[in-house]
Amino acid sequence: MLLTLEKVRQTVKEVVDTTPLIDIHTHLFAPQFGDLLLWGIDELLTYHYLTAEVLRIAPISLDEYWKMSKQEMAEYSWEHLFRRRSPVSEACRGVLTCLEKFGIDPTEKSLETIRRYYAQQKVDTFIDKAMDIANVKSMVMTNDPFDPQETPVWNQVGNSDPRFQAALRIDPLLLNWGVASDTIREQGFKVSPDFNDSCVSGIKKFLDHWGDKMNPRYMAVSLPPTFTYPDDSLCTRVIDSCVIPFAMERKIPFAMMIGVKKLLHPGLRLAGDSVGKSKIASVENLCLKYPNARFLVTFLSRENQHELCVTARKFNNLMPFGCWWFMNNPSIIEEMTRERLELLGLSFIPQHSDARVLDQIVYKWKHSRRIIGQVLGDKYVDVVRTGWPVTKEEIEADVRQLFETNFERFVSGQ
């Protein structure tokens, strides 16, 4: 049935709200990973977005803050960001959205009342509840074979939870060979502290070992704005000799998240990372050199977004995805989504949650769906005004592409 101009926006909103999706990049974990899966009000209030925000304005030293327990930190954020000030930042609004969607009065002043709600929840059913509210059908974890807290779980029980898919994260392998080589040797693979050609075999065996255990949808790395490819660095050597061959043999993409300045302010710990403009030429060079490899790419700097869209128009082995980290703010999500639709049509992945706390999938997808629906509605109105017919079935197919099909086809090489 053809939609009239008056019906287009409402139909798009309904379809965007009701279409299940795959959250392609999170920092969440299946229940068997124990304490690595974060959830609940204290985790929400001590999330590093709020840590940076509260330490800007609160009369406390860093040393005093880090001596607090997690509950004390949560109470401190609650007092200074929600009670003494209006919670207008995106991170604060996200907490309120979570409370409201879980049926907790967001005007509740007592943190203890909110804690009692969470104390009554069972983690497995709470996962289902959060996924149901967010309308998320599955989530891709970030799985680090260099993490001593995570690797025993893979070695002992692995992951059989269909709600959670794996992604193989390899940051130390490309950015800190000292740490990487120690861990690889400890796990029984032969490499030397000084990287040489003989290390390639050990790295490949290490990647194969973890590829077999995790069955990852993709392999991934977070890179600084100074990342350059090609150059004479160890990073380039490992990409060429190990990473790309592994990705191509396994028929999975290599995901690059580019632009983070790690620990610009070390005293803030996880909240101390910052952002810088990166070199799009590095992505162009990889796509050109390896036309049969596939690259999932997102940038942390707003200034890189237009370049990424233009580059993606030239390479069908490049898939832009998500509004990552500091980009995950409504004004920027709207701008990026419009830009991508106008330059790439429907051939991108509009969002991922990047959630570190389970509850966050609720607010991040609630907020993003609203913006995606508004922008898509504008685009369909533009099309209808030209005389091009639009049906609800076509909109449903288009939204499925954005929320699921583009990812599934790209990671499977279709």
Side-chain angles (χ1 to χ4, degrees), residues 85-98:
R85 292 167 176 81
S86 298
V88 298
S89 73
E90 180 65 4
C92 287
R93 184 171 74 106
V95 174
L96 299 182
T97 297
C98 290

Side-chain angles (χ1 to χ4, degrees), residues 1-58:
M1 179 180 176
L2 297 181
L3 296 173
T4 64
L5 193 61
E6 294 73 22
K7 288 285 188 179
V8 169
R9 290 186 194 278
Q10 183 59 33
T11 301
V12 172
K13 180 182 183 303
E14 291 172 359
V15 171
V16 168
D17 285 345
T18 58
T19 300
L21 57 82
I22 299 174
D23 194 341
I24 76 158
H25 171 60
T26 76
H27 294 271
L28 303 175
F29 290 88
Q32 62 263 35
F33 288 85
D35 291 343
L36 287 172
L37 173 59
L38 306 179
W39 61 292
I41 188 61
D42 289 332
E43 299 294 349
L44 282 173
L45 291 172
T46 56
Y47 180 51
H48 63 84
Y49 284 21
L50 276 80
T51 297
E53 191 172 335
V54 75
L55 289 175
R56 276 185 56 80
I57 49 86

Side-chain angles (χ1 to χ4, degrees), residues 130-330:
M131 293 178 70
D132 182 62
I133 293 171
N135 204 4
V136 169
K137 63 191 302 182
S138 65
M139 299 176 284
V140 181
M141 303 179 284
T142 294
N143 303 109
D144 186 353
F146 298 94
D147 184 346
Q149 190 176 356
E150 182 178 345
T151 52
V153 182
W154 287 106
N155 289 327
Q156 294 164 17
V157 297
N159 175 49
S160 59
D161 192 323
R163 298 170 296 185
F164 295 86
Q165 304 175 49
L168 175 57
R169 187 72 173 255
I170 58 167
D171 293 31
L173 185 60
L174 297 184
L175 302 175
N176 192 335
W177 177 245
V179 169
S181 62
D182 286 348
T183 301
I184 293 170
R185 284 197 308 278
E186 288 168 3
Q187 293 184 17
F189 302 96
K190 188 176 180 180
V191 294
S192 63
D194 298 320
F195 184 88
N196 54 51
D197 290 342
S198 66
C199 294
V200 171
S201 175
I203 293 171
K204 287 184 174 180
K205 290 176 181 177
F206 172 80
L207 291 175
D208 281 333
H209 171 78
W210 286 105
D212 290 343
K213 279 189 177 293
M214 293 179 179
N215 189 26
R217 303 307 306 275
Y218 56 83
M219 63 191 314
V221 64
S222 175
L223 294 162
T226 54
F227 169 64
T228 302
Y229 179 93
D231 62 9
D232 60 359
S233 70
L234 175 59
C235 181
T236 287
R237 292 174 66 187
V238 175
I239 287 173
D240 285 337
S241 62
C242 303
V243 172
I244 298 299
F246 174 82
M248 293 180 69
E249 288 166 9
R250 295 278 172 159
K251 299 180 180 180
I252 59 174
F254 178 35
M256 294 180 290
M257 296 169 283
I258 309 172
V260 57
K261 292 181 179 178
K262 288 288 188 181
L263 293 179
L264 178 70
H265 189 332
L268 294 177
R269 302 187 185 180
L270 273 179
D273 295 347
S274 190
V275 57
K277 188 177 185 299
S278 304
K279 302 172 183 177
I280 193 71
S282 297
V283 174
E284 295 168 344
N285 293 336
L286 280 164
C287 290
L288 196 61
K289 183 174 181 179
Y290 297 107
N292 295 320
R294 301 188 304 283
F295 301 94
L296 282 160
V297 175
T298 193
F299 280 94
L300 193 53
S301 170
R302 177 175 175 268
E303 286 69 30
N304 284 122
Q305 304 308 323
H306 180 246
E307 293 176 314
L308 177 59
C309 287
V310 172
T311 300
R313 287 170 60 89
K314 315 305 173 186
F315 298 101
N316 64 5
N317 61 336
L318 169 59
M319 177 66 77
F321 75 95
C323 304
W324 178 39
W325 201 341
F326 300 121
M327 299 293 96
N328 194 19
N329 290 294

Side-chain angles (χ1 to χ4, degrees), residues 28-29 31 34-46 70 102 115 117-127 129-130 356-360:
L28 303 175
F29 290 88
D35 291 343
L36 287 172
L37 173 59
L38 306 179
W39 61 292
I41 188 61
D42 289 332
E43 299 294 349
L44 282 173
L45 291 172
T46 56
K70 179 161 286 186
F102 285 121
R115 283 172 173 156
Y117 166 83
Y118 280 100
Q120 296 168 0
Q121 308 301 311
K122 302 294 185 183
V123 62
D124 205 63
T125 54
F126 189 74
I127 292 170
K129 181 184 294 188
R356 287 184 179 270
V357 181
L358 176 64
D359 316 43
Q360 291 170 338

Side-chain angles (χ1 to χ4, degrees), residues 364-376:
K364 292 196 177 187
W365 282 112
K366 174 68 174 176
H367 295 184
S368 288
R369 282 183 192 263
R370 182 183 62 80
I371 298 166
I372 293 166
Q374 288 175 347
V375 175
L376 270 177

